[in-house]
Amino acid sequence: MSKLESKREHAPVPGPFARFARVLGPGLITGASDDDPSGIGTYSQAGAQLGFGIGWTMLMTYPLMAAIQEISARLGRTTGHGIAGNLCWHYPNWLLQVIVTPLFLANAINIGADLSAMADATKLLIGGRSFLYVVGYGTACVVGIVFTNYDRYVMVLKWMTLSLFAYVAALFAAHVHWGEALSGLLVPRITWSADFFTTLVAILGTTISPYLFFWQASQEAEDVKANHARKPLLRAPKQARNAFERIRADTLVGMAFSNLIALAIILTAAATFNKAGITSVETSAQAAEALKPIAGEFAFIVFALGIVGTGLLAIPILAGSAAYAIGEACKWPIGLSRHPDKAVAFYSTVTAAAILGVAITLSPIDPIKALYWTAVINGVVAVPVMTVMMLMTAQPRIMGKFVISGWLRWLGWASTLAMAACVIGMIVNWFG
């Protein structure tokens, strides 16, 4: 018996929890990053403005976002390329530019809004100057994503998802009327007004966001490059069954985690702000500050700490997804598993996205409005991205025999049409 065989024979067998934790990866991290400070601001505003009656959106969006994220992941795992890479190889350049350019701009605005919210939350907790916190957090995120080993960095991101449990703690610190909360979750309440549809687009734009599609597809492709045992399924079809089972479990858990945290934020805002007659909470930091006199010091502290934790998780993913999209569009060497000197342009794009985000906090753009409108922009941008992705994954020339079909395809189109309907409803009400 060789030393390697002996080592494997005597290696401890991982328990069920350890095996399950290994399955979780891009889906869990993607789902957790969905609840970034911008999302926290959106959910807080929705709960404050519409109360428990908006809770049903979290139940409705779960199968839709899970389906579209699984489709994104399958695209990356099957082809070994992200969304932009497949666009680059199979579609005209103008379409690629129409998709990638708004994504980069939306991500940069999102980064700026998140940095501003993190700085404001930190200032509420310990005082100090917001600008220094913006620069500090931006620098920390860039240094982490550029200079940390890929496997170690992914593990750090996994552990950082635990910061979202701060909002579960905040929920139980609030005095929730659970009967009203359950009614709002199970019974849809729709109001034909511009405010309602704008809020609905903001919620959908936060839960079903373009950067999440690009990130999860790119991470599946990245894992193929980083793990030599894996191959794109077009070249190794025998790996498909295990790969698709892992992707489904990872995505279902990640999106469920995302929506449960989002629901906790909505219910907390509904139970505190809406019940107190406060119907306008424009930022996550403002939400944390407003919680203090209503729900107490503990709810305020955990809410504010959660903003910082989720921001540290989301900003690298926002910058990374923009860099993956731009890098694949320009056919650069890309990937977090590459050493910085082997992918200079890719890591420069990561840095540029973060720097632009910092610059936005210094510009005349109001970060308070940017938090909310970023989600609206994401909702509008998502429609063409989702449409193109659904068309790509139906074509054998791209997906081979692994084209998306059946109920997963129906849910993907339902997600796309739901987003489009909300955007159209919002525009009609604006000009109606």
Side-chain angles (χ1 to χ4, degrees):
M1 182 183 293
S2 70
K3 290 182 178 180
L4 180 59
E5 289 172 333
S6 177
K7 185 177 180 180
R8 286 175 177 171
E9 182 179 328
H10 294 92
V13 178
F17 179 79
R19 291 197 299 272
F20 181 65
R22 288 180 183 178
V23 169
L24 302 179
L28 175 65
I29 295 168
T30 301
S33 70
D34 195 17
D35 297 319
D36 67 331
S38 175
I40 294 164
T42 300
Y43 298 135
S44 297
Q45 171 61 23
Q49 184 179 0
L50 301 171
F52 293 118
I54 199 66
W56 62 272
T57 56
M58 293 299 101
L59 203 60
M60 178 198 75
T61 56
Y62 175 64
L64 302 182
M65 70 187 295
I68 206 72
Q69 289 301 143
E70 181 175 337
I71 290 168
S72 305
R74 286 196 180 201
L75 177 66
R77 183 67 179 86
T78 300
T79 64
H81 299 289
I83 295 171
N86 281 290
L87 278 169
C88 184
W89 288 108
H90 300 287
Y91 288 86
N93 184 65
W94 66 264
L95 180 60
L96 178 65
Q97 300 305 322
V98 166
I99 296 293
V100 170
T101 302
L103 174 81
F104 181 83
L105 293 175
N107 282 17
I109 295 171
N110 208 333
I111 289 170
D114 285 354
L115 285 171
S116 179
M118 294 163 67
D120 289 344
T122 307
K123 188 175 179 180
L124 287 174
L125 289 169
I126 60 175
R129 297 183 61 186
S130 294
F131 173 70
L132 295 178
Y133 294 133
V134 166
V135 174
Y137 286 135
T139 302
C141 290
V142 170
V143 169
I145 200 170
V146 173
F147 295 106
T148 304
N149 172 272
Y150 174 70
D151 290 334
R152 187 176 300 169
Y153 191 70
V154 169
M155 186 58 64
V156 169
L157 290 178
K158 278 188 182 182
W159 280 106
M160 287 184 66
T161 61
L162 296 176
S163 64
L164 271 75
F165 282 105
Y167 297 106
V168 177
L171 173 64
F172 285 102
H175 301 290
V176 178
H177 190 291
W178 293 106
E180 287 185 47
L182 187 61
S183 174
L185 181 66
L186 299 177
V187 182
R189 301 174 193 176
I190 299 173
T191 305
W192 192 266
S193 68
D195 287 343
F196 176 82
F197 278 103
T198 303
T199 299
L200 194 58
V201 170
I203 290 173
L204 287 174
T206 298
T207 54
I208 306 173
S209 188
Y211 79 88
L212 302 176
F213 318 152
F214 279 82
W215 174 262
Q216 192 162 354
S218 296
Q219 282 303 286
E220 287 294 338
E222 178 85 1
D223 283 351
V224 169
K225 296 182 181 76
N227 186 339
H228 298 300
R230 293 180 181 175
K231 304 290 182 187
L233 299 182
L234 291 176
R235 291 167 48 196
K238 290 182 179 179
Q239 296 182 3
R241 181 177 177 181
N242 289 336
F244 289 159
E245 287 177 354
R246 175 190 58 78
I247 286 171
R248 177 157 297 169
D250 185 21
T251 303
L252 288 176
V253 171
M255 299 308 116
F257 181 51
S258 174
N259 274 27
L260 284 172
I261 298 301
L263 182 62
I265 297 168
I266 289 173
L267 296 182
T268 300
T272 52
F273 307 135
N274 185 265
K275 291 298 182 182
I278 301 171
T279 59
S280 180
V281 180
E282 295 178 305
T283 71
S284 50
Q286 189 184 82
E289 188 174 26
L291 267 178
K292 193 172 185 178
I294 300 173
E297 184 80 16
F298 176 75
F300 157 70
I301 291 173
V302 296
F303 206 93
L305 288 174
I307 292 168
V308 176
T310 58
L312 290 172
L313 172 66
I315 288 172
I317 292 173
L318 283 160
S321 64
Y324 276 115
I326 297 291
E328 284 194 316
C330 296
K331 298 183 180 179
W332 296 333
I334 63 168
L336 298 177
S337 59
R338 293 179 183 269
H339 194 272
D341 63 4
K342 302 296 184 183
V344 174
F346 171 77
Y347 285 109
S348 296
T349 306
V350 170
T351 306
I355 290 173
L356 185 55
V358 171
I360 286 170
T361 67
L362 304 176
S363 72
I365 297 173
D366 185 351
I368 292 176
K369 293 180 179 178
L371 276 168
Y372 189 76
W373 285 102
T374 294
V376 176
I377 292 168
N378 279 332
V380 174
V381 172
V383 176
V385 176
M386 294 164 74
T387 301
V388 170
M389 188 164 61
M390 292 306 301
L391 294 173
M392 283 197 296
T393 54
Q395 298 188 37
R397 68 189 177 96
I398 298 174
M399 299 290 288
K401 66 178 182 179
F402 300 112
V403 293
I404 304 298
S405 59
W407 65 266
L408 183 59
R409 182 158 189 79
W410 284 108
L411 275 177
W413 274 117
S415 180
T416 306
L417 293 174
M419 184 71 78
C422 288
V423 171
I424 292 169
M426 178 184 69
I427 294 171
V428 168
N429 274 280
W430 278 352
F431 297 100

